[in-house]
Amino acid sequence: MNTNEKIIALTGVSGAMGGEVLKSLLESDNNFKIRCILFSAEKSLPKFTKKLLKKYRKRIFKFKGDIACKEDCEKLLDGADYLIHCAALIPPKSDHDPHGTYLSNFVGTKNLIDTVIEKGNNIPFVHIATVALYGNRTYPHVWGRVGDPMISSDYDCYSMYKMKAERYLLDSGLNKFVSLRQTAVLHKYMLANNLKDGLMFHTSWNCPLEWVTDVDSGILCKHLVERDLAGKLDGFWNNIYNIGGGAECRITGFETIDEGFAVMGMNTKKVFKPNWNIPRNFHGVWFYDSDKLNDFLDFRTENNKIFWQRMGKKYWYFKVAKIVPSSLISKLAIQRLFKNTNAPKYWIKHRIDGRVKAFYGSYENFEKIGTDWKKFDLLCESKDYQNLKNIENAKPLLLDHGYDENKPLVSLTFADLAKAAAFRGGKCLSKDYNEGEIYKKIRWQCRDGHEFESAPHTILKGGYWCPHCCEPKPWRYGALADIPFFGQVYFDTHTKDEVNDVYPLSDDEDKFIENK
Ligand SMILES: [Zn+2]
């Protein structure tokens, strides 16, 4: 096969991941040609992307456009042999622009899927999804895997529309697709981005996070296309995988921030107070199954330590910070963000009840957490922490998916599907289900009587269920707490009094509605 002629369509090249994917693909020995769509004017792209577009201009066809516009998707995919779809509006931008997030994260993805199908359904579709689909995790449910329930954290438009998009993909009938749920990415823009927004305080100190670096995410996509062209990806396609850096990259929220500050010679406890960061309603998990993707694509070359060393050498502010006292950094760089509408301190001060309730549980909880590190229990300092992190001990902590997972999905019978549906509080209605047809939509009914169509793969491996009850708008995860499948993690961070809580959609409606 002549791989020199292969054309790869790519979205999101202005982003942290998309930029590295672009670089990796262009550096491949296969001399790929790239088609890319630019949402912003070229002059406003990051320097990194601009340089690549210039250096490799002979192999790049680029145009200004928007995936929310169908015609632009047709132009992008014209003659393409692969599509790698990295574009998404991510936090903090998604927190400030719900409508833009809808257009980019759902409408854009739908347009690309529809276009691939209309063009003959033979362009392999690499979809980048997100760890945010798993919602908030904390002790004891620090381990997650494909098949776990899809839960969008309250007010998180990013995950809400990514959920809608991935579900559409899984049920679309695409011939060749893969959905890669990207974990938290260590990337070159992260510090600069975080220091501009209250999002800095959305990392729970005790949340489990498995990182991967931007560079490794790029290598991953390069290997994917190279290996597929070489016929080395047997059994890979039409699945969902979690992207993660593996054992060395599994830490907590506190350790993450501390690693970054350590490069600057600082101590997190001197820069932050415990109650500045939210204790729940975030996202992040250690992936029990992320090695599976690495077995296929062998992309891990960096860990967190290597990443921070790379940053420390590259950016001036890491060096400058070393000579500035921690208290001054706290004041100048961190506390000035309290005024940002995305900052918990802002919600407390301005009595934004919905946000305070969603992220802290109550004003009292905020006070209770307090400002004294000596009185705050950090998971990473607990004596069982290393045992908890050991994947050998993880099995008893995994969530139940409500069916016999020793059976391959294609061998499940109607009775197996009915059992899985019952675990989700409902029924499987397609008694004529043909064993093995896991990508064909069948009928289901939820506890509340809604009937819907979804493929068995979407339900059992996707972790999706009733689109009426489980897709937020508004967010009301508490209503699912008594369903065994969804209730498994709810009470890790909520009380029984909260099950009727409802959080409305947007910033404009940002008031907590008590729906009792
Ligand atoms: Zn329902």
Side-chain angles (χ1 to χ4, degrees), residues 445-452 465-470:
Q445 188 180 47
C446 83
R447 177 185 59 174
D448 293 355
H450 302 125
E451 287 190 22
F452 59 95
W465 184 236
C466 174
H468 310 283
C469 299
C470 305

Side-chain angles (χ1 to χ4, degrees), residues 94-95 98-99 102 153-157 160-161 355 472-475 502-511 513:
S94 58
D95 292 333
H99 187 64
Y102 165 73
S153 289
D154 302 325
Y155 296 118
D156 185 19
C157 290
M160 168 170 70
Y161 292 123
R355 301 276 161 165
K473 198 186 177 181
W475 284 264
V502 176
Y503 300 92
L505 175 66
S506 68
D507 274 0
D508 333 324
E509 306 165 84
D510 191 6
K511 275 186 196 137
I513 299 173

Side-chain angles (χ1 to χ4, degrees), residues 205-206 251-252 254-255 377-382 385-386:
W205 301 120
N206 288 337
I251 54 178
T252 64
F254 179 84
E255 289 174 296
D377 291 329
L378 281 171
L379 182 65
C380 61
E381 289 177 0
S382 70
Y385 183 56
Q386 292 309 324

Side-chain angles (χ1 to χ4, degrees), residues 423-478:
F423 192 64
R424 288 150 180 79
K427 290 177 192 160
C428 179
L429 300 177
S430 293
K431 293 201 169 114
D432 55 349
Y433 168 67
N434 291 323
E435 219 173 286
E437 291 188 341
I438 59 170
Y439 298 109
K440 203 174 135 192
K441 288 198 254 188
I442 59 170
R443 291 196 74 73
W444 309 81
Q445 188 180 47
C446 83
R447 177 185 59 174
D448 293 355
H450 302 125
E451 287 190 22
F452 59 95
E453 288 192 337
S454 246
H457 177 259
T458 307
I459 302 296
L460 301 180
K461 285 292 170 191
Y464 292 92
W465 184 236
C466 174
H468 310 283
C469 299
C470 305
E471 279 181 16
K473 198 186 177 181
W475 284 264
R476 48 180 170 212
Y477 174 37

Side-chain angles (χ1 to χ4, degrees), residues 7-11 34-38 60-83 111-112 114-116 118-119 123:
I7 298 172
I8 300 166
L10 183 57
T11 70
I34 307 288
R35 295 180 79 91
C36 58
I37 180 166
L38 306 174
I60 299 173
F61 170 78
K62 59 180 190 302
F63 66 99
K64 190 168 179 310
D66 183 356
I67 53 170
C69 163
K70 186 80 183 341
E71 288 75 37
D72 287 346
C73 293
E74 285 159 14
K75 195 170 166 186
L76 174 71
L77 290 164
D78 195 24
D81 295 293
Y82 286 86
L83 167 63
N111 282 343
L112 289 166
D114 292 347
T115 307
V116 167
E118 282 161 24
K119 283 186 178 286
I123 303 171

